[in-house]
Amino acid sequence: MLLSAFEIRKNSRVYIIGGGGKTTLMYALARSLKKQNSSVITTTSTKIFKPEEDDTDAVMVDLDITAIARKIGLIEKKPFLVTVAQGVTADARKLIGFEANELDSLHDSHLADYLLVEADGSAGRSIKGHADYEPVVSKLAELVIVVIGIDCLGKPVNDQYVHRPEIFSELTGTEPESPVTVENVATILFHKQGYLKSVGRNSRIAVCLSKVKTDENRKAAGELAVAIRRADVDSRLEQIVTGDLKCSPERIDNL
């Protein structure tokens, strides 16, 4: 369901940005691809929590991306699913990723069928305002998936519910503590300083509306999808996908 919903093509660099389930989506996609007899590299261009045992076959850490490539090249059992990083944070909880150009070189080595990259930080929030340096996306990415948690709707624009609420307010023209609306989300998605500012013009783009668990959630997701389509004046989006990735990944719908 996941793979067909996003139309992931072989030999793709898939970058995942936004908030509300990026890591969950990345590993769900990776496991699905491996089940289809494909080898997958998962990583980050920022930082991610260390994967759980079921998320990956192995974690490889090395400052040198070429050393990582050599280690992957020695893997005999295929298909494989490995997670790579250049380091570990001081508290040992997160992996530190590589620069986008380094990941391009890893992709071009053709050691795996897919490269999946988490390319954004959201501090656990479902919606965010982006700092100048993010998201960290390769201009050569074949597919960029924007994740937005549907539970952000109606929540106040503050640090409890919105990552960098001051940037979110500035870009959407909203007051602090005002409720997040579908129009706000659509605005920041396409704002020149918003979600897609680092995405190459040749990259395919899909939106994933996550945390859709109830009929009420599905109704809200439908309303948000309408607002997003209306705001997409340059027709940049290929798919809007909705579902509950964590609890019911088999229930994925295209809107």
Side-chain angles (χ1 to χ4, degrees):
M1 291 289 292
L2 278 175
L3 301 184
S4 60
F6 291 109
E7 297 183 14
I8 296 181
R9 301 165 187 171
K10 201 162 188 178
N11 301 316
S12 289
R13 279 161 285 209
V14 180
Y15 277 71
I16 304 173
I17 66 175
K22 296 185 302 295
T23 305
T24 299
L25 176 60
M26 181 174 73
Y27 288 122
L29 289 172
R31 290 191 297 269
S32 295
L33 289 167
K34 185 185 176 186
K35 286 179 181 178
Q36 292 198 352
N37 207 38
S38 294
S39 292
V40 186
I41 299 170
T42 58
T43 187
T44 180
S45 56
T46 55
K47 297 174 185 176
I48 54 172
F49 282 105
K50 286 184 175 179
E52 301 292 334
E53 184 176 342
D54 293 341
D55 289 331
T56 191
D57 298 337
V59 177
M60 299 180 179
V61 179
D62 200 297
L63 280 171
D64 186 356
I65 197 75
T66 58
I68 291 285
R70 285 195 296 270
K71 292 177 183 178
I72 295 173
L74 294 175
I75 298 175
E76 295 182 357
K77 186 178 179 180
K78 297 181 179 178
F80 59 77
L81 196 177
V82 297
T83 302
V84 305
Q86 67 162 302
V88 181
T89 56
D91 62 6
R93 298 176 64 210
K94 290 186 176 184
L95 300 176
I96 303 169
F98 293 97
E99 298 290 335
N101 64 314
E102 294 178 298
L103 295 177
D104 284 337
S105 69
L106 183 61
H107 169 267
D108 292 343
S109 65
H110 302 294
L111 294 168
D113 300 304
Y114 299 90
L115 175 68
L116 307 185
V117 185
E118 182 175 324
D120 214 350
S122 62
R125 313 302 195 268
S126 291
I127 194 75
K128 65 175 292 184
H130 282 86
D132 293 341
Y133 55 85
E134 58 180 2
V136 186
V137 177
S138 168
K139 297 294 185 184
L140 301 176
E142 284 78 17
L143 174 63
V144 175
I145 302 175
V146 181
V147 182
I148 299 169
I150 199 69
D151 60 336
C152 72
L153 295 176
K155 297 297 193 301
V157 178
N158 60 34
D159 190 57
Q160 183 177 354
Y161 298 105
V162 179
H163 188 40
R164 299 199 182 89
E166 68 285 353
I167 297 177
F168 184 90
S169 290
E170 179 183 354
L171 298 186
T172 60
T174 57
E175 294 294 327
E177 301 296 335
S178 61
V180 176
T181 67
V182 294
E183 289 78 15
N184 296 157
V185 177
T187 295
I188 203 163
L189 178 59
F190 294 105
H191 194 284
K192 64 181 180 180
Q193 296 300 321
Y195 277 60
L196 305 183
K197 65 180 178 182
S198 302
V199 178
R201 297 301 300 187
N202 293 324
S203 298
R204 297 170 50 231
I205 302 171
V207 170
C208 176
L209 304 180
S210 65
K211 302 185 181 181
V212 176
K213 304 176 183 180
T214 66
D215 290 340
E216 184 179 357
N217 292 156
R218 279 184 279 279
K219 180 181 178 183
E223 293 171 353
L224 179 53
V226 170
I228 288 173
R229 289 292 189 193
R230 188 184 301 121
D232 186 15
V233 294
D234 294 326
S235 300
R236 297 196 71 187
L237 302 186
E238 287 202 358
Q239 293 97 9
I240 299 178
V241 177
T242 183
D244 180 15
L245 302 172
K246 203 162 194 176
C247 299
S248 302
E250 72 281 356
R251 183 166 185 172
I252 301 295
D253 300 305
N254 281 86
L255 296 180

